[in-house]
Amino acid sequence: MSFETPLPPYNASDPHATFLNSSCLDLLLIEMVPMAYRLANELSIQMPNGDKLVDEEEHREAAFRRLETLGYRVGQGLVERRGSLKSIKSLMVSLGAVRFSRDRPRFTETLDVIKFLCKDLWTLVFRKQIDNLKTNHRGIFVLTDNTFRPFARMSTSSSSEAAMQAQPFLWFPCGIIRGALACMGINAAVQAETSELPSATFQIKTIAAKT
């Protein structure tokens, strides 16, 4: 898979070569939020008179759960080892990023996993690396993307309005991060926020395994 404009002969001789229209991916990411809200509305409780009993907070929570769960499954699929490592390697080579290898040793430090997420995985999904990574070295990591791609096409009249409307678009990426980490053996809680478009900040708090 490549996000770059294919050049002749389009790798026609390579049976594993596939291409993805980047605009279609952008539109899909944009449409996922209203889709989640529509589904939450359709599944809400219907009253005997035909009206639907919808609590705004519950409506929002239902949309969050759907988007975060979808992202979680995508994150797991991107890094799971069961038969997908060759496909991931092909994807990363196409993107010109760090190459995967079957001989690559497993990560032994949480920080190495986070760095992999910031560089390789983020490039795979959003075509750029995380711009800044901070940690307190006690299980909390803060990732900042100064030009978060799903926000690139958004515009609002005020920064406060922008932050409120953009928040749901962070739920799916939060799920991707949590799912990818879970697949690499790290249980974590992930939150995200934005104070000014197109920047986005993700906070990862690792959860120690119970003994």
Side-chain angles (χ1 to χ4, degrees):
M1 180 184 294
S2 174
F3 292 106
E4 305 299 329
T5 302
L7 299 175
Y10 308 107
N11 292 329
S13 61
D14 183 357
H16 301 292
T18 56
F19 299 94
L20 174 66
N21 188 303
S22 60
S23 296
C24 290
L25 178 60
D26 291 341
L27 293 173
L28 174 62
L29 293 175
I30 291 172
E31 177 58 24
M32 287 182 69
V33 171
M35 176 204 70
Y37 273 99
R38 286 197 303 269
L39 289 174
N41 183 58
E42 291 173 2
L43 296 175
S44 59
I45 301 175
Q46 189 163 1
M47 303 296 288
N49 61 0
D51 295 334
K52 289 185 177 180
L53 181 62
V54 179
D55 179 86
E56 184 176 350
E57 188 61 32
E58 291 181 355
H59 197 178
R60 182 180 175 88
E61 179 65 22
F64 164 76
R65 286 197 303 268
R66 183 174 296 276
L67 289 169
E68 205 272 347
T69 301
L70 284 173
Y72 183 87
R73 293 171 61 186
V74 170
Q76 283 187 313
L78 287 172
V79 299
E80 66 181 358
R81 300 176 64 85
R82 187 180 57 215
S84 64
L85 190 56
K86 182 177 180 181
S87 298
I88 296 175
K89 179 180 178 182
S90 176
L91 290 171
M92 298 303 295
V93 170
S94 298
L95 289 168
V98 177
R99 287 166 172 75
F100 284 74
S101 171
R102 289 186 180 276
D103 299 325
R104 184 173 184 169
R106 290 180 61 87
F107 297 114
T108 57
E109 299 291 337
T110 300
L111 182 58
D112 292 331
V113 175
I114 300 297
K115 288 180 178 179
F116 161 79
L117 188 151
C118 292
K119 295 179 180 179
D120 300 342
L121 189 64
W122 214 252
T123 299
L124 177 63
V125 180
F126 299 112
R127 282 162 282 167
K128 66 181 294 294
Q129 296 182 9
I130 285 289
D131 294 299
N132 186 267
L133 166 62
K134 295 181 180 179
T135 178
N136 65 353
H137 297 286
R138 292 192 295 272
I140 296 179
F141 303 86
V142 179
L143 287 55
T144 302
D145 188 335
N146 294 328
T147 53
F148 188 50
R149 189 170 183 86
F151 290 168
R153 301 176 187 270
M154 295 184 184
S155 62
T156 53
S157 57
S158 66
S159 58
S160 59
E161 180 185 357
M164 183 174 58
Q165 294 185 358
Q167 188 67 32
F169 292 88
L170 295 170
W171 298 338
F172 179 73
C174 282
I176 291 179
I177 294 173
R178 194 170 68 86
L181 292 176
C183 201
M184 291 185 282
I186 298 175
N187 190 20
V190 183
Q191 296 179 322
E193 63 179 6
T194 178
S195 57
E196 184 177 358
L197 299 182
S199 175
T201 301
F202 300 84
Q203 183 185 86
I204 301 170
K205 184 177 182 180
T206 59
I207 302 172
K210 295 181 179 180
T211 56

